Amino acid sequence: MSNRKEKDIEGIIYERELIRQLGLLDAVMIGVGASIGAGIFAVLGIAYGTAGPAVILSFVFCGIASILTGYSYARLSQLFPESGASYTYVARAFKQPTIGVVTGCTLWFAYLVSCSTYAVGFSNYLSYFVNGDQRTLVELISMVYGLDTSFVAQVIGDAFQLIDKRIIIVALVAVFGLLNFASVSETGKTQTVIVMSKVAILIFFIVVGLTYVREMLTPKIGIIDSTLGIQYTNNFSPVFSPTTFQNPVLPIMTVVTIIFIAFEGFDLIPTTGEELKNPKRNIGRAIYITIITVNIVYLFTVVVIIGLIPWYQAGASEAPLAEAIKHTWIGQWGEILVGLGGILSTASAFNATLFGTSRLAYVMSREGIFPRQFIKLSRRSHVPYISLIVASVMSLALALTENLEFVASIASSSFILIFFLVNVSNYKLRSKTKSHWIIPVLGALMTFIPILFMSPASLVTLALWVGGIALVY
């Protein structure tokens, strides 16, 4: 395929070798798929366990920040439709090579850590699914295939003994690495099927859970904390659990730095710029559709899980949504269904983020920042296969740590920093993007505040990464 030279708003010419095979629906599925992953299916338990019912305030904060930042992405994508996305925006706005390089490398690092977060979340849900109460699963398989229950129980029991979380992680990376290598269009079709399935399961979880709203809000005698003198009348009251009662702002904002990864999916949409049909129109539309969809689903999901199980139970669970739905009329059948949703959700988030990671490395290689080998495309499918292999291997190495809270915190902190820089970039280029100055300023403020609450481990990791990249380049 011959290269096609294209030009952005500032007259900078870039060679587009990638093929435009994706439509608006594909872009939305990448955004929604990357957002609704481990952040809501796995990390929500950690978040709820940390902030108690006040976790809903953390989600509201992140939602507002994502709306303001999404505006900046949509505006900037009109000027710079290249696949570099955040890296391209910051590099063009600041026109300082070091800032652009540090931003691009930090974004690439954030994508890698996100992939590892989703891989760990996937292994947790699959492990929970297969190593929990197997009786319902045995009954389901026996009923569907007409097999003897004792035979099915024996086969499943023997198979599950061989399953290890690390094997699950390796299998996930291998399967979706090969899928991304095979074809862009096949990746998009697979993503669409998975995302629609998991959103349908989440909607089912919400509808079933909301039938219990009246019962949730009915005052009842619950746990009494003699130290603080608090009586828990239901899961929503008091709003601030013992972990937040003394200083409510700290745990709420700490949770923001953990769950922010659940809102970052829309920033992957601009990375499809060189493979998306009519990118100047479709990128902005896909971003807004993704943000609205994700925020609505998240708020309802958080309300339901708060109503179904208390904060201390969610915080101790590897699969909090599956744990929660057991307390409804659907019982263990719902647990299996939501467990399947968690598996699909984390898998699609991994798939979408791996796609964006390889495309970012491709653009940075084209601009001379990453090694030239990263720009090589496969002959048949025209995908940057070297970038894809490196991203797969590095995300696998991070995922094998199996520390979900740590990798999620690092990823969220990295995206908070990137989103802050993108909002500042939109402000600097507001005359060209035709943006009202107040929106990028508010976006920058909403993404700067969480930086003050990052964990020491996240700050040290980011500082070492940024400092190392600046020193090298």
Side-chain angles (χ1 to χ4, degrees):
M1 176 184 174
S2 59
N3 299 356
R4 179 177 177 180
K5 295 183 181 296
E6 297 189 1
K7 184 186 297 185
D8 63 28
I9 194 69
E10 294 196 337
I12 297 177
I13 297 174
Y14 59 95
E15 291 186 354
R16 180 173 65 82
E17 298 179 273
L18 304 175
I19 303 173
R20 297 199 186 279
Q21 304 179 63
L22 304 175
L24 175 61
L25 178 61
D26 296 312
V28 172
M29 292 301 104
I30 286 174
V32 174
S35 297
I36 303 178
I40 193 69
F41 273 91
V43 180
L44 176 56
I46 297 171
Y48 183 22
T50 300
V55 68
I56 195 168
L57 300 178
S58 302
F59 273 85
V60 169
F61 183 97
C62 290
I64 295 172
S66 69
I67 292 169
L68 295 171
T69 304
Y71 174 85
S72 290
Y73 271 91
R75 290 290 182 169
L76 287 165
S77 68
Q78 299 293 309
L79 301 183
F80 311 110
E82 300 99 310
S83 290
S86 307
Y87 156 70
T88 301
Y89 308 154
V90 175
R92 301 291 187 266
F94 286 90
K95 297 183 179 178
Q96 292 290 332
T98 302
I99 295 177
V101 169
V102 168
T103 300
C105 291
T106 302
L107 181 62
W108 185 69
F109 175 69
Y111 285 158
L112 288 176
V113 180
S114 297
C115 283
S116 67
T117 303
Y118 302 137
V120 174
F122 177 86
S123 70
N124 283 349
Y125 256 90
L126 187 57
S127 178
Y128 177 90
F129 186 76
V130 300
N131 292 324
D133 185 357
Q134 299 169 10
R135 182 171 55 83
T136 306
L137 183 59
V138 169
E139 291 176 355
L140 177 63
I141 294 175
S142 301
M143 181 180 66
V144 171
Y145 294 100
L147 299 174
D148 180 67
T149 54
S150 59
F151 171 74
V152 174
Q154 180 64 40
V155 172
I156 290 179
D158 292 342
F160 287 173
Q161 288 180 359
L162 302 175
I163 295 178
D164 180 82
K165 285 186 178 181
R166 287 167 293 184
I167 295 176
I168 294 172
I169 291 171
V170 171
L172 174 77
V173 175
V175 168
F176 283 100
L178 290 173
L179 177 64
N180 274 268
F181 178 79
S183 169
V184 174
S185 60
E186 290 303 316
T187 302
K189 291 175 184 176
T190 303
Q191 185 74 357
T192 299
V193 171
I194 296 177
V195 171
M196 287 186 170
S197 299
K198 73 179 183 182
V199 170
I201 290 173
L202 267 181
I203 292 173
F204 173 80
F205 171 83
I206 292 169
V207 171
V208 171
L210 285 177
T211 61
Y212 284 71
V213 168
R214 181 172 297 179
E215 182 180 342
M216 298 173 198
L217 299 178
T218 300
K220 57 182 181 292
I221 297 175
I223 299 172
I224 299 178
D225 191 305
S226 57
T227 304
L228 299 175
I230 304 171
Q231 178 170 326
Y232 298 92
T233 56
N234 58 55
N235 292 346
F236 288 92
S237 177
V239 174
F240 301 109
S241 65
T243 58
T244 60
F245 190 76
Q246 301 294 342
N247 183 5
V249 175
L250 180 59
I252 289 171
M253 294 309 300
T254 298
V255 165
V256 168
T257 67
I258 296 174
I259 65 170
F260 207 86
I261 187 177
F263 292 82
E264 64 81 23
F266 68 86
D267 88 306
L268 281 170
I269 295 172
T271 67
T272 68
E274 296 178 39
E275 294 165 277
L276 184 65
K277 300 169 185 176
N278 199 349
K280 290 188 177 181
R281 183 191 67 178
N282 286 333
I283 289 178
R285 290 183 177 182
I287 287 173
Y288 290 131
I289 293 171
T290 295
I291 292 174
I292 291 170
T293 302
V294 166
N295 274 280
I296 291 173
V297 170
Y298 282 176
L299 287 177
F300 276 104
T301 302
V302 172
V303 168
V304 169
I305 195 172
I306 292 174
L308 292 178
I309 57 176
W311 58 271
Y312 51 84
Q313 187 175 348
S317 176
E318 288 185 336
L321 297 190
E323 182 76 24
I325 202 168
K326 284 197 303 184
H327 298 269
T328 67
W329 60 267
I330 200 168
Q332 289 184 334
W333 294 103
E335 181 185 14
I336 289 178
L337 183 61
V338 173
L340 178 61
I343 293 168
L344 293 173
S345 183
T346 48
S348 69
F350 178 87
N351 182 40
T353 308
L354 184 64
F355 175 93
T357 307
S358 62
R359 270 51 179 185
L360 175 62
Y362 167 82
V363 171
M364 294 180 69
S365 173
R366 188 173 63 194
E367 298 197 3
I369 298 171
F370 278 7
R372 292 294 296 173
Q373 287 80 2
F374 282 56
I375 205 172
K376 291 183 178 180
L377 302 179
S378 60
R379 292 182 179 180
R380 187 179 68 84
S381 54
H382 290 278
V383 299
Y385 68 97
I386 299 295
S387 299
L388 185 60
I389 292 171
V390 172
S392 299
V393 171
M394 292 191 68
S395 62
L396 174 61
L398 288 167
L400 290 176
T401 64
E402 297 185 59
N403 190 330
L404 181 62
E405 183 173 0
F406 175 71
V407 292
S409 178
I410 295 295
S412 292
S413 298
S414 301
F415 284 116
I416 288 169
L417 177 60
I418 296 296
F419 283 8
F420 169 74
L421 290 173
V422 169
N423 280 306
V424 173
S425 298
N426 188 29
Y427 176 78
K428 287 175 67 68
L429 297 172
R430 63 190 182 281
S431 60
K432 295 181 179 179
T433 62
K434 296 180 174 56
S435 301
H436 193 290
W437 68 271
I438 191 64
I439 299 180
V441 167
L442 288 175
L445 179 63
M446 292 289 286
T447 47
F448 177 76
I449 292 175
I451 295 175
L452 305 176
F453 295 89
M454 289 181 183
S455 68
S458 298
L459 287 173
V460 169
T461 303
L462 274 179
L464 289 175
W465 176 264
V466 170
I469 294 299
L471 183 64
V472 169
Y473 282 95

